[in-house]
């Protein structure tokens, strides 16, 4: 579904990604794990069109997207749930959700999609008129995920959903991610919480200093000596 090939990305003169290649197969949960500053957000922002690669390519469903504007990429069916949620705190929960129905197609289906989001997170229906500034971290993450779903994506990219959440709440987010996959949404999950993420990933990649250093099935990487030592404290 998503094919990233030999990607080089810079922030000014500093190179953040070096020759990165990876693939996300339709229907899978694919993870990219790595430490702070490894380049994970840079990679997601390149896929969603916020950053331009210096070289390499990004293909989605067989079409090159690395020169497209972000709104066109979103229209093709890619949604990004940003690190730190990035809610509009002077707006209500419902207004934040509706902002995700950005394309004209999604706007037409807004009511129906909103009901699907409420089925996934019933509490958001109750909180609809409340200011987004009043939400707990877990509720805020629900709104961020719900907003990402409002564009009816085929591929959902999560940037560090564990950010600011207690482990139990992150486990709940993982359960939501599994449900979305069951509903036919492909997942690209970018995380620093390596253990929990590898447990759930069909396929996973490890990013270090802007380069992919390991790849394999999530469960296999959990047993990898290098991963155990560097990320699992074993
Ligand atoms: P985190 O988990 O902290 O978000 P990350 O793996 O997502 O880390 P990136 O945010 O992609 O990493 O950052 C990769 C590298 O690029 C880091 O060295 C970072 O300091 C640098 N970087 C990121 N954004 C910019 C920017 N706008 N300008 C300059 N350097 C940047």
């Amino acid at each position: 579904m998503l094919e990233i090939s030999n990607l080089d990305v810079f922030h000014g003169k500093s190179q953040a990604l070096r020759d990165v290649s990876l693939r996300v197969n339709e229907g899978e949960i694919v993870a990219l794990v790595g430490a702070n500053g490894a380049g994970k957000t840079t990679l997601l922002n390149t896929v969603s069109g916020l950053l331009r690669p210096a070289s390499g390519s990004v293909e989605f469903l067989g079409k090159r997207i690395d020169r497209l504007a972000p709104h066109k990429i979103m229209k093709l069916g890619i949604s990004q749930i940003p690190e730190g949620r990035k809610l509009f705190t002077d707006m209500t929960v419902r207004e934040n959700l509706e902002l995700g129905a950005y394309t004209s197609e999604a706007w037409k289906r807004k009511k129906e999609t909103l009901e699907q989001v409420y089925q996934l997170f019933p509490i958001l229906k109750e909180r609809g008129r409340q200011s987004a500034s009043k939400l707990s971290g877990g509720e805020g993450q629900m709104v961020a995920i719900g907003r990402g779903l409002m564009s009816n994506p085929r591929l959902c990219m999560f940037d560090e959903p564990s950010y600011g959440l207690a482990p139990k709440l992150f486990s709940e987010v993982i359960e939501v991610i599994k449900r979305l996959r069951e509903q036919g949404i492909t997942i690209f999950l970018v995380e620093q919480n390596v253990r929990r993420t590898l447990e759930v990933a069909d396929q996973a990649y490890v990013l270090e200093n802007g380069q992919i250093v390991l790849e394999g099935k999530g469960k296999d990487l959990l047993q990898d000596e290098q991963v155990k030592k560097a990320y699992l404290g074993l």
Side-chain angles (χ1 to χ4, degrees):
M1 179 174 248
L2 182 73
E3 179 103 44
I4 293 173
S5 310
N6 310 108
L7 215 56
D8 287 314
V9 181
F10 290 76
H11 294 292
K13 286 190 177 157
S14 128
Q15 187 160 7
L17 294 178
R18 200 176 294 269
D19 200 25
V20 167
S21 298
L22 63 82
R23 118 192 324 216
V24 177
N25 290 324
E26 186 157 15
E28 288 190 346
I29 297 177
V30 177
L32 178 71
V33 295
N36 235 335
K40 305 181 298 301
T41 300
T42 300
L43 183 66
L44 288 193
N45 285 347
T46 307
V47 174
S48 59
L50 296 169
L51 288 171
R52 292 267 171 263
S55 56
S57 63
V58 183
E59 283 182 25
F60 180 60
L61 299 169
K63 180 181 156 79
R64 270 197 75 167
I65 59 168
D66 47 87
R67 300 282 146 191
L68 295 183
H71 69 280
K72 295 218 163 121
I73 293 173
M74 185 194 194
K75 230 173 166 169
L76 291 173
I78 299 182
S79 182
Q80 182 172 352
I81 293 153
E83 182 176 11
R85 314 187 246 289
K86 310 274 192 297
L87 300 181
F88 293 89
T89 48
D90 54 352
M91 296 170 80
T92 66
V93 166
R94 184 171 170 144
E95 284 166 343
N96 268 279
L97 290 172
E98 288 184 345
L99 277 178
Y102 174 82
T103 64
S104 50
E105 291 85 352
W107 191 256
K108 276 183 223 147
R109 295 173 61 182
K110 186 181 62 163
K111 246 181 141 175
E112 184 190 331
T113 318
L114 204 51
E115 277 313 312
Q116 289 165 1
V117 169
Y118 288 154
Q119 268 180 20
L120 199 59
F121 304 117
I123 190 148
L124 298 189
K125 192 168 189 171
E126 289 168 32
R127 300 270 155 102
R129 286 166 190 268
Q130 242 184 40
S131 160
S133 63
K134 299 262 163 23
L135 300 175
S136 68
E139 290 164 351
Q141 188 57 269
M142 291 180 207
V143 178
I145 296 172
R147 181 181 58 189
L149 295 173
M150 289 300 292
S151 62
N152 308 116
R154 293 182 65 175
L155 172 67
C156 228
M157 307 196 295
F158 288 78
D159 192 354
E160 205 113 17
S162 71
Y163 179 90
L165 295 186
K168 184 172 171 286
L169 282 175
F170 181 50
S171 291
E172 286 174 21
V173 171
I174 292 283
E175 291 308 313
V176 166
I177 286 175
K178 287 199 224 154
R179 273 178 71 184
L180 294 176
R181 193 256 300 265
E182 280 163 22
Q183 290 172 16
I185 299 176
T186 303
I187 308 286
F188 189 24
L189 173 59
V190 164
E191 258 300 334
Q192 277 190 58
N193 184 328
V194 175
R195 183 189 303 276
R196 196 69 192 87
T197 301
L198 291 183
E199 279 168 5
V200 77
D202 296 303
Q203 194 67 20
Y205 296 83
V206 180
L207 190 68
E208 276 180 16
N209 299 320
Q211 287 182 290
I212 302 284
V213 293
L214 271 176
E215 63 177 274
K217 291 190 192 322
K219 295 210 161 65
D220 292 345
L221 288 190
L222 271 176
Q223 303 305 325
D224 183 276
E225 288 307 321
Q226 210 179 321
V227 172
K228 279 187 185 173
K229 211 165 141 195
Y231 298 100
L232 304 177
L234 298 174

